[in-house]
Amino acid sequence: MIELARFPHAQPARMFAGVLKAQGIASVLHEEDGQTVMHLEDPARFDEARTLLEAFARNPNDPRFSDAAWQASEPAQPRQGEGGQPPLFSGRWLSGMGPVTKLVLIVTLLVYLSPMLFGSGIYRALMFPPTLEGLMSQPWRLFTPMLLHFGVLHIAFNLLWWLDLGRTIERYQSSLQLVWVTLVTSGISSLAQFLASGPAFGGLSGVVYGLLGYLWLYGRVNPHAGYALRREIVIFMLVWLVICYVGLAGIVANEAHLAGLISGCVLGALTGYYRRRRFYERSDK
């Protein structure tokens, strides 16, 4: 074996070990003089590992590194000065957004502006079909209602939450994880709202509550991950859910909100439990 680097803290060392593992480079970590020392099992791959380490040192929050750590079930690296807590409306959305978060943002804005240029045709094409039989022939319309918004406040509220919650999943876990959590919660919330009120609905709010529930339960079940929703965020959104249900906020998609929240909580709890088990299994080896 050959020594590659010494880290002042164990967490970034474990994260980088996940990066190396994704490249097929085996490493060994041990504590020495208050530092975490990393050795490579194959000295022939020292130069390749050193190049990766230099890139990691320059930008440890690069998505390729966080994705590798997520796949290796290592804790994500908390951001400096934030105690691992994702900020609410932090003002750093653009720098923290991954490709999926940006794509949904752009497409949602384009769809919202489309009636000004093309009339209501795009909206009608993206709405939930009038019957479940129609959904069988156009299954994508189970998900496309999340792109539809019916006012400036409607789209602004949903996109602000989407940016903050979506980028947290994409940054600390992976783009693929955000995609499948979004699709599952979108489909469940759309179906629930259709069964309750018919096809005339739209918006990202069901997904937003899904992401909220996912991060909330994931952080509680798997606290070693290093990030979790702040308590006041969860309380605010749950209070808003109740306000909407008692009819104090006008016409809203209550069933979509509740179904999105419940489905997100289930996904977060299951994923958190699986990741926690993998982490302790790796720690015991």
Side-chain angles (χ1 to χ4, degrees):
M1 292 196 297
I2 183 173
E3 181 178 320
L4 175 66
R6 292 174 178 251
F7 296 81
H9 303 290
Q11 190 176 57
R14 290 196 299 265
M15 184 178 180
F16 185 65
V19 174
L20 293 179
K21 181 181 178 182
Q23 300 297 321
I25 304 176
S27 62
V28 177
L29 300 175
H30 70 272
E31 299 297 320
E32 182 179 311
D33 298 328
Q35 295 181 313
T36 301
V37 183
M38 173 178 287
H39 285 84
L40 300 183
E41 292 187 359
D42 184 1
R45 305 196 69 177
F46 179 86
D47 289 340
E48 180 183 355
R50 190 70 186 177
T51 299
L52 283 171
L53 179 61
E54 291 172 355
F56 178 79
R58 288 194 299 269
N59 184 14
N61 291 320
D62 189 308
R64 60 176 170 154
F65 298 137
S66 58
D67 287 358
W70 164 250
Q71 295 303 325
S73 295
E74 296 294 355
Q77 186 177 20
R79 289 165 286 186
Q80 292 295 325
E82 295 172 9
Q85 302 277 4
L88 173 62
F89 303 149
S90 60
R92 295 193 296 272
W93 304 316
L94 289 176
S95 62
M97 274 193 281
V100 176
T101 309
K102 291 179 182 177
L103 179 62
V104 172
L105 169 66
I106 293 170
V107 172
T108 301
L109 288 173
L110 290 176
V111 170
Y112 180 71
L113 296 174
S114 67
M116 304 176 189
L117 301 174
F118 309 108
S120 60
I122 292 179
Y123 262 54
R124 288 198 300 268
L126 297 180
M127 289 186 69
F128 201 98
T131 64
L132 291 178
E133 288 75 13
L135 187 63
M136 299 299 293
S137 60
Q138 297 178 309
W140 61 87
R141 293 175 71 177
L142 177 65
F143 311 104
T144 52
M146 76 177 192
L147 303 174
L148 306 177
H149 293 83
F150 306 104
V152 174
L153 291 179
H154 187 206
I155 190 172
F157 183 85
N158 283 344
L159 284 181
L160 285 173
W161 283 105
W162 162 259
L163 295 180
D164 222 51
L165 299 173
R167 75 190 180 99
T168 299
I169 296 176
E170 191 164 17
R171 180 178 183 181
Y172 285 117
Q173 298 186 3
S174 70
S175 297
L176 179 60
Q177 193 73 6
L178 177 58
V179 168
W180 79 262
V181 172
T182 297
L183 290 178
V184 170
T185 56
S186 173
I188 291 175
S189 60
S190 289
L191 185 60
Q193 191 61 47
F194 169 78
L195 295 175
S197 64
F201 65 89
L204 266 170
S205 53
V207 172
V208 164
Y209 270 98
L211 301 187
L212 177 87
Y214 176 84
L215 285 170
W216 180 25
L217 266 293
Y218 183 87
R220 292 186 66 85
V221 173
N222 188 29
H224 83 267
Y227 53 96
L229 286 179
R230 294 198 300 270
R231 183 184 178 189
E232 60 266 28
I233 295 177
V234 178
I235 293 175
F236 173 82
M237 291 296 281
L238 293 181
V239 169
W240 181 249
L241 180 69
V242 173
I243 290 174
C244 293
Y245 251 101
V246 298
L248 298 180
I251 301 174
V252 293
N254 290 319
E255 287 74 15
H257 294 176
L258 183 59
L261 178 65
I262 293 173
S263 59
C265 285
V266 171
L267 294 177
L270 293 176
T271 306
Y273 177 72
Y274 171 72
R275 291 289 169 175
R276 186 181 68 183
R277 282 195 59 188
R278 284 196 59 185
F279 174 76
Y280 285 119
E281 287 171 359
R282 286 170 54 85
S283 299
D284 291 339
K285 290 181 180 179

